Amino acid sequence: MRTALRHVSRGLILLFFASCLYSSHFPSQLDRIKQRGYLIAAAKGAQDDGHVAPHLEFEAALLKQFADYLSVDLKLKSPQTLSQLQYGVAKEKYDIGAANTRRHLFPVRQGVPYLFVKEYLIYKKGTEKPKTINDVIGKSLRVEFGSHHSHSLKKLQQLHSDLRWEEHAETDNINLIAEVQSGQLDYAVVDSNIFDISRHLYPEVRIAFSLSESSEIAWNFSNTADHSLYNAAAAFMQDIYENGKLEQLTAQHYSHIKKMDYTDAVAFYRRVQTRLPQWREMLVSTSKEHNLDWNLLAAISYQESHWNKNAKSYTGVRGLMMLTKATAREMGIKDRTDPAQSIEGGARYFKSIFKRLPKGIQGDDRTWFALAAYNVGFAHLEDARVLTQRLGGNPNQWEDVKKRLPLLAQKKYYSTLRYGYARGREPVKYVQNIRQYYGILSWQDDIAQSRPNSTIKKDIETVKIQQDERDLNMSLL
């Protein structure tokens, strides 16, 4: 034991002096990043212009926080496959590979996990639900090549030798869910977080069972002797875990997800196909005029009227955006039932609220606050912010204020506030619904833009389970 310890001690001493010698002659990876002024991160599904698909918004926000932590800018790159992503990290073409699991195709270093997901085996509603892995044998099953899903299936294959599946290099979780919805596939395996935020876009897809209880999602780093960036990322993760920022960021991107009733999900799916197209041009042009995302304006109008121009409530609000007489008058709208005027009035009203909010409310929170005020009124929203501060929360963060809004219906609280009673649960549900509709519409829009022509031939490589993965990937070297 002593001899072993002596060898370990000598090794550590040599490593220490070697690292000192290296650092005295060459700048570390972290130094080089700071010198050039930006961090290069790769995420499959991102675009080089910085735009990211909805399912990567959490990862992009986390990367941006890390870049800010390093006092540098963030540049996002978009490799086509996991192989290209991890190869790029291994060769230091990218500083970080985002949204990866412990399944590695190339020698990369696994970072600190920031998200834990389940592996769902999914099927189409109306077909026979598989209860065990044996029910999958003999049916079409597909996963993303090089993913942790492939690794899990290989472990299951040791107990079920007849289990077979296909792996596609250029597919992703969204494509797989869409293929199950369309009936092209019997089954697929996808991550739970991706399924949860996309399920309303594919209401016919269901969960059969989980292949695993928990899989780690983490960043990847080059596996060299230079650990400077890896160590900085580990310190960053520890900081945001301890100060609650990681929990807050996770809540911002996932807490609004709720289970939509199947009937409601199908109705929304159909109305996207049948009703939305007739209003799309109006929504897009009005949104451009007011510097708004047209998907957000579409989501608000769906929440208000289900895209029914003749909608009318018992309180007298009318039209696509369900404007009151007072709001229409304030916004200069003469006919609330005219779709173009209704959309214009709703956009103006939302933008006016957005501009009135305190400067301390930033980012997406500003949008959620504006939506809440659109529903419950600016005055009651201010009461909720005052109450949030009294109770020790942050009045500029939606996740804190939405917990206090329902208290406006309790006399114990509203009697102490300037504007009194309000049905505070309604704006919370209102914002939650619109965030879901907005996410679905944005996702669909993103898919349409990234795959504008289905006739374009994609070079997708199908890898059978018997093939040697290492030989395939070595061909990229």
Side-chain angles (χ1 to χ4, degrees):
M1 177 62 74
R2 289 182 180 176
T3 302
L5 288 174
R6 192 178 298 114
H7 283 302
V8 170
S9 299
R10 288 175 180 171
L12 289 173
I13 292 170
L14 289 172
L15 181 61
F16 171 76
F17 282 112
S19 63
C20 290
L21 182 64
Y22 178 87
S23 62
S24 66
H25 288 82
F26 303 100
S28 68
Q29 184 183 17
L30 183 59
D31 290 334
R32 294 195 301 273
I33 291 168
K34 290 185 175 182
Q35 286 170 7
R36 70 173 179 241
Y38 56 87
L39 177 75
I40 304 173
K44 186 184 172 188
Q47 295 180 12
D48 288 352
D49 61 2
H51 174 72
V52 295
H55 66 286
L56 281 178
E57 288 178 352
F58 171 79
E59 273 76 16
L62 187 62
L63 285 165
K64 181 62 171 63
Q65 285 198 10
F66 181 49
D68 291 343
Y69 177 83
L70 298 179
S71 299
V72 297
D73 293 330
L74 173 66
K75 286 195 175 184
L76 275 176
K77 299 295 181 180
S78 181
Q80 293 293 313
T81 67
L82 285 177
S83 298
Q84 293 173 3
L85 187 152
Q86 291 186 0
Y87 177 72
V89 172
K91 295 296 183 180
E92 297 189 72
K93 178 182 178 182
Y94 312 127
D95 301 318
I96 291 178
N100 286 284
T101 65
R102 61 178 176 271
R103 176 77 174 108
H104 297 154
L105 298 168
F106 290 94
V108 295
R109 180 180 290 272
Q110 177 87 354
V112 177
Y114 56 83
L115 199 63
F116 294 86
V117 299
K118 293 183 179 180
E119 299 176 73
Y120 286 161
L121 186 127
I122 56 174
Y123 71 105
K124 185 176 182 179
K125 183 179 182 292
T127 63
E128 187 174 353
K129 176 182 179 179
K131 296 179 180 178
T132 69
I133 199 66
N134 283 324
D135 297 332
V136 176
I137 294 174
K139 301 291 184 68
S140 59
L141 170 62
R142 189 173 297 159
V143 298
E144 182 179 5
F145 172 70
S147 66
H148 55 296
H149 309 313
S150 166
H151 183 64
S152 296
L153 287 173
K154 286 179 180 178
K155 291 173 71 175
L156 286 170
Q157 192 184 43
Q158 295 175 5
L159 300 174
H160 307 272
S161 58
D162 292 335
L163 180 64
R164 296 290 184 274
W165 63 94
E166 291 181 340
E167 298 184 28
H168 279 191
E170 293 185 5
T171 193
D172 57 25
N173 281 240
I174 303 303
N175 277 334
L176 293 172
I177 296 170
E179 287 170 349
V180 172
Q181 163 102 0
S182 66
Q184 294 174 255
L185 275 179
D186 294 319
Y187 310 118
V189 182
V190 298
D191 288 329
S192 58
N193 63 322
I194 306 300
F195 177 83
D196 287 342
I197 60 180
S198 67
R199 61 187 173 189
H200 305 319
L201 190 57
Y202 306 100
E204 300 292 330
V205 180
R206 292 287 185 272
I207 302 167
F209 52 82
S210 297
L211 295 189
S212 65
E213 283 302 312
S214 180
S215 291
E216 300 173 352
I217 304 296
W219 293 337
N220 289 164
F221 303 86
S222 60
N223 192 20
T224 65
D226 182 355
H227 298 168
S228 57
L229 181 63
Y230 172 87
N231 290 337
F236 163 74
M237 287 294 180
Q238 183 175 353
D239 282 353
I240 63 170
Y241 176 79
E242 291 179 350
N243 63 26
K245 288 186 178 180
L246 180 58
E247 183 180 4
Q248 181 185 38
L249 191 66
T250 304
Q252 286 176 356
H253 288 84
Y254 294 111
S255 68
H256 67 284
I257 298 170
K258 65 182 182 66
K259 186 174 182 180
M260 189 186 293
D261 178 82
Y262 173 71
T263 303
D264 292 339
V266 171
F268 178 72
Y269 183 79
R270 289 175 179 169
R271 287 164 181 161
V272 167
Q273 311 303 320
T274 58
R275 293 185 181 180
L276 179 58
Q278 62 185 316
W279 313 125
R280 176 175 175 137
E281 187 175 340
M282 290 182 189
L283 289 163
V284 170
S285 61
T286 304
S287 296
K288 286 182 179 178
E289 183 182 345
H290 294 283
N291 194 28
L292 294 170
D293 185 337
W294 86 269
N295 289 302
L296 177 62
L297 202 56
I300 296 171
S301 59
Y302 183 80
Q303 171 65 25
E304 293 289 352
S305 67
H306 288 179
W307 297 318
N308 176 8
K309 68 176 182 178
N310 299 315
K312 181 179 180 180
S313 79
Y314 70 92
T315 59
V317 294
R318 302 185 66 179
L320 275 175
M321 301 296 286
M322 296 295 274
L323 302 176
T324 65
K325 286 184 179 180
T327 300
R329 192 182 310 114
E330 183 185 351
M331 295 298 113
I333 301 302
K334 296 180 179 180
D335 184 0
R336 293 180 293 160
T337 63
D338 177 70
Q341 291 189 52
S342 182
I343 292 171
E344 174 67 22
R348 284 186 195 172
Y349 184 51
F350 175 81
K351 198 66 186 237
S352 68
I353 295 171
F354 189 90
K355 290 179 179 178
R356 284 179 63 193
L357 291 169
K359 292 182 179 179
I361 302 173
Q362 296 290 323
D364 288 340
D365 280 336
R366 197 170 183 87
T367 300
W368 314 144
F369 275 100
L371 288 173
Y374 191 103
N375 175 260
V376 76
F378 198 90
H380 289 305
L381 178 65
E382 275 303 298
D383 273 354
R385 293 181 67 242
V386 169
L387 184 58
T388 298
Q389 191 163 25
R390 282 185 195 171
L391 298 177
N394 187 335
N396 293 334
Q397 290 183 356
W398 174 247
E399 289 301 317
D400 282 1
V401 174
K402 79 174 187 179
K403 297 174 184 175
R404 279 77 184 192
L405 268 165
L407 301 180
L408 299 186
Q410 297 182 27
K411 188 174 182 179
K412 173 184 175 181
Y413 297 102
Y414 74 72
S415 62
T416 68
L417 297 167
R418 182 176 181 182
Y419 298 100
Y421 172 85
R423 294 192 295 268
R425 291 189 183 277
E426 291 185 8
V428 174
K429 184 177 181 181
Y430 182 86
V431 174
Q432 183 180 49
N433 287 346
I434 290 176
R435 287 183 69 177
Q436 285 207 300
Y437 301 143
Y438 176 46
I440 296 168
L441 292 169
S442 298
W443 205 323
Q444 181 170 273
D445 203 28
D446 182 80
I447 291 171
Q449 290 181 31
S450 61
R451 302 174 180 86
N453 188 349
S454 59
T455 63
I456 295 177
K457 184 177 180 181
K458 281 193 173 278
D459 183 19
I460 297 179
E461 185 175 15
T462 302
V463 185
K464 297 298 182 182
I465 188 58
Q466 294 85 357
Q467 290 181 299
D468 189 305
E469 290 180 9
R470 179 54 60 183
D471 287 345
L472 175 67
N473 282 282
M474 289 300 291
S475 66
L476 299 175
L477 293 172

